[in-house]
Amino acid sequence: MISHQLSLRAGLVRQTSAGIYAWLPLGLRVLKKVERIVREEQDRAGCQEVLMPTVQPAELWRESGRYDDYGKEMLRFSDRHAHEMLYGPTNEEMITDIFRQYVKSYRDLPKNLYQIQWKFRDEVRPRFGVMRGREFLMKDNYSFDIDFDGAKRSYDNMHTTYLRTFARMGLKAIAVRADPGAIGGSLSQEFQILAETGESKIFYDAELDSMDVNDIEGTRALYASAEEKHDPATCGVPPDRLREARGIEVGHIFYFGTKYSEAMNATVTGPKGEAITVEMGSYGIGVSRLVGAIIEASHDEKGIVWPEPVAPFHVGLVNLRVGDGACDTAANEIYEKLQAAGVEVLYDDREERAGVKFATMELIGLPWQLVIGPRGLAAGVVELKSRASGESEEISVESALARLVG
RNA sequence: CGGAGUGUAGCUCAGCCUGGUAGAGCACCGCCUUCGGGAGGCGGGGGUCGGAGGUUCGAAUCCUCUCACUCCGACCA
C-alpha cells in the first residue's frame, strides 16, 4: 500500500499497536486540515457540533439491542465497579439518548447534530495503515425529522454536503448505492474515491469521469453503485458507458427511519399533542482514513503530492547552503516575511547536502518549494518550484514572495 | 476466526541448522572534504538477542510456554 509506505517515510504517523497510530507533527497538520474542512461544511449545512465521550455505558446499547448484535468488533471492558463499558464504534444510541432528553417539540425539528471524535472498532485484521485502523477519527452526524419527507431532505442535504466536502480536498468522490449493513435502513450511499488499491468494487456511468467536481447537481444525477447493489439489467446505463472500478470508501450516508428512536423512545410532541417517533439518519466521514486516501489518490514516484487545501504547509523553504552568510540572510528574511504574511512555511535549515534536501521536499510533497542557493543569489534570483507540475522558475525574491502571499 | 511467517542496535537484516566473549548496511555523534538532485574518508557511541521457564559447564542458537507484530483468506458503516 503506497500511501502507507509514504506516510511512514514522510513521518506522518507511527504505529503503536496493530491498527493504532500516533500522529506525528506533519501528519497531524494534515489531519487537522481535513477535519477543519469537514467541520466547515457541516456548519455550513446547518449542523451543530457536539462532542460525545469515547467510552460509553453498556446499558445504552442494551436499549437498542445492539450490545448483543455488534459482536467482537466492539471493544468491551469493565470499570472498577464492574460496570460494563465499551469504547464507542459509533454513536447512534448516545445521540438518541441526548436528543430525547432535550428535544420535546416538533417545532424544534429538523435537527442535525455532529461530532468529530475517535472511534474504535476491533477489526479482526487491521491493514492499509490509517485507512483501516482500529482506532480512527470519524465525523459522524445524525439527523432528526418529523416525517419521511423531512428525513429525505436531510439525507439529500448531506449528499450535497459530502460531495462539496470532498471536492474541497481536491478529491472526486463518487456516491454509490450501498448496502446499509448493520445500521439498517433503506436509503444508503457510500462515497468512494477512485483508486486501484481500493477495497470496494463499484460500477458507474462514464460521464462521471468528465464531470467537474463542483457540479454537484450534475454528479448526483448519474448512476453509480456498489458491487452488491449493482444490476446491469436495471441500471439504465448503456453498456459502453458503464465503468467498473475500485474505490476507497471515505463516507457513508444512511436513512434508517425509526430504528433507534422507536427502540429508545425518542419522540416529540406533534401539532395535535400526539407523540411522534422521530425519523433519523446518520452520516459518516472517515477523517483519518481520508489522509491515507488522499495520498493514495495523489502521489508520484518521488513522494506525496498534497492538494493545496490539505497540505501540511503551503511552501517549503530550502536553504541550500546553511552557514553561508548570503544564503542564511536571504532565507531567514524570506522566512520572516512569509510567516508575517500568514503563509504556512516549513524551513529546511538542516546542514545537509542539496540532494538530500530536494529528495526530502519531494517526499513530503508541499505544494511549493522555494529554493535559496548561492548560485541563484549571485544572479539575484531564487527558485520557485511547483510540486504538482514539477515546473520551476528562477525569479526575484520579491516576485516569489508576491506569488506565495497572493 | 482459519492458514503462513517474523521478533537480534533507531531502521532493514545476517548470525540459529552444527551451542563457546553479538555482527553488517543505513541512521546517529566528532573531525576532514565546501559539495545545486539522497557524496567520500577517518574516528566514535549504541543491543536485558520480545518475555518466562527448561536442557547444558556454557543458550541469540536446542526444548516448552507466552506475548507482540506482519502477510493470505474469511469478516466489515
Side-chain angles (χ1 to χ4, degrees):
Chain A
M1 181 66 44
I2 187 67
S3 62
H4 190 217
Q5 288 172 21
L6 290 172
S7 296
L8 295 174
R9 280 179 56 205
L12 305 185
V13 295
R14 155 116 185 145
Q15 177 170 311
T16 66
S17 181
I20 302 178
Y21 294 85
W23 290 78
L24 305 178
L26 207 58
L28 182 61
R29 291 183 72 100
V30 178
L31 186 70
K32 291 287 184 190
K33 294 224 167 158
V34 172
E35 185 181 338
R36 193 177 76 193
I37 291 172
V38 169
R39 175 175 289 114
E40 285 174 1
E41 291 302 325
Q42 287 290 300
D43 290 343
R44 177 172 162 184
C47 307
Q48 291 173 284
E49 185 169 10
V50 296
L51 188 59
M52 294 180 268
T54 53
V55 173
Q56 309 183 21
E59 292 89 79
L60 268 181
W61 288 68
R62 288 220 168 82
E63 253 193 274
S64 70
R66 280 209 294 181
Y67 195 66
D68 295 323
D69 293 347
Y70 217 93
K72 288 191 167 179
E73 252 195 13
M74 179 145 67
L75 178 63
R76 304 155 198 256
F77 47 89
S78 304
D79 67 13
R80 66 196 302 162
H81 305 296
H83 286 141
E84 290 179 70
M85 314 290 282
L86 59 100
Y87 195 112
T90 178
N91 288 68
E92 279 81 7
E93 284 79 1
M94 184 163 289
I95 197 74
T96 304
D97 179 52
I98 290 171
F99 177 89
R100 69 182 172 184
Q101 291 189 52
Y102 293 96
V103 183
K104 302 295 182 190
S105 164
Y106 77 99
R107 297 186 192 205
D108 292 325
L109 301 183
K111 193 158 283 291
N112 196 324
L113 301 169
Y114 80 97
Q115 69 165 350
I116 299 173
Q117 176 66 293
W118 293 92
K119 309 286 192 294
F120 195 97
R121 290 180 196 168
D122 200 357
E123 298 266 355
V124 180
R125 192 181 158 215
R127 62 191 109 172
F128 311 139
V130 297
M131 293 214 289
R132 195 170 190 73
R134 291 195 291 174
E135 186 182 58
F136 55 97
L137 188 61
M138 182 181 186
K139 185 284 303 172
D140 47 319
N141 61 312
Y142 307 87
S143 63
F144 302 87
D145 285 275
I146 195 71
D147 54 22
F148 175 77
D149 288 344
K152 182 70 165 54
R153 273 194 298 276
S154 294
Y155 181 91
D156 289 342
N157 181 27
M158 281 301 110
H159 187 166
T160 302
T161 297
Y162 273 32
L163 290 174
R164 199 178 270 145
T165 300
F166 297 128
R168 275 190 61 187
M169 295 171 196
L171 296 171
K172 169 174 266 185
I174 295 181
V176 303
R177 295 182 198 175
D179 191 327
I183 301 289
S186 46
L187 281 174
S188 171
Q189 281 167 294
E190 290 172 358
F191 290 76
Q192 300 274 352
I193 301 300
L194 294 184
E196 288 176 14
T197 49
E199 285 191 271
S200 338
K201 186 185 279 187
I202 64 174
F203 294 87
Y204 66 95
D205 190 327
E207 294 285 299
L208 278 166
D209 282 334
S210 49
M211 195 71 74
D212 187 295
V213 290
N214 295 304
D215 182 0
I216 306 292
E217 286 311 310
T219 302
R220 285 183 56 156
L222 294 169
Y223 177 84
S225 176
E227 186 180 23
E228 314 83 66
K229 298 284 277 186
H230 176 64
D231 182 350
T234 60
C235 72
V237 181
D240 60 317
R241 258 172 56 186
L242 189 65
R243 291 281 181 280
E244 178 182 328
R246 303 198 67 84
I248 299 166
E249 182 189 349
V250 291
H252 205 154
I253 59 179
F254 296 91
Y255 158 75
F256 49 72
T258 58
K259 177 176 163 122
Y260 299 95
S261 49
E262 192 168 327
M264 298 180 65
N265 199 30
T267 62
V268 294
T269 306
K272 295 168 189 159
E274 76 279 30
I276 299 173
T277 303
V278 294
E279 295 273 337
M280 294 175 60
S282 74
Y283 318 87
I285 289 180
V287 175
S288 48
R289 172 180 286 186
L290 269 166
V291 175
I294 289 167
I295 298 172
E296 204 63 38
S298 184
H299 67 270
D300 62 19
E301 66 286 346
K302 291 177 181 169
I304 303 167
V305 183
W306 289 115
E308 296 238 12
V310 296
F313 292 91
H314 184 60
V315 54
L317 176 64
V318 180
N319 181 347
L320 279 186
R321 183 88 46 95
V322 173
D324 175 90
C327 285
D328 288 353
T329 304
N332 290 341
E333 247 174 55
I334 291 169
Y335 183 65
E336 296 298 331
K337 284 181 179 167
L338 287 171
Q339 290 265 56
V343 176
E344 293 177 303
V345 51
L346 178 66
Y347 182 9
D348 185 352
D349 63 350
R350 295 176 300 166
E351 292 191 34
E352 288 287 355
R353 298 170 62 83
V356 174
K357 297 189 157 197
F358 288 133
T360 301
M361 225 19 109
E362 303 286 18
L363 172 64
I364 65 178
L366 306 181
W368 296 98
Q369 299 167 14
L370 186 56
V371 181
I372 315 299
R375 206 175 67 194
L377 283 185
V381 295
V382 293
E383 182 184 335
L384 183 63
K385 181 177 178 185
S386 156
R387 176 67 177 90
S389 72
E391 289 167 12
S392 72
E393 43 190 325
E394 304 210 321
I395 54 181
S396 69
V397 171
E398 290 69 34
S399 36
L401 284 174
R403 289 272 295 279
L404 291 169
V405 173

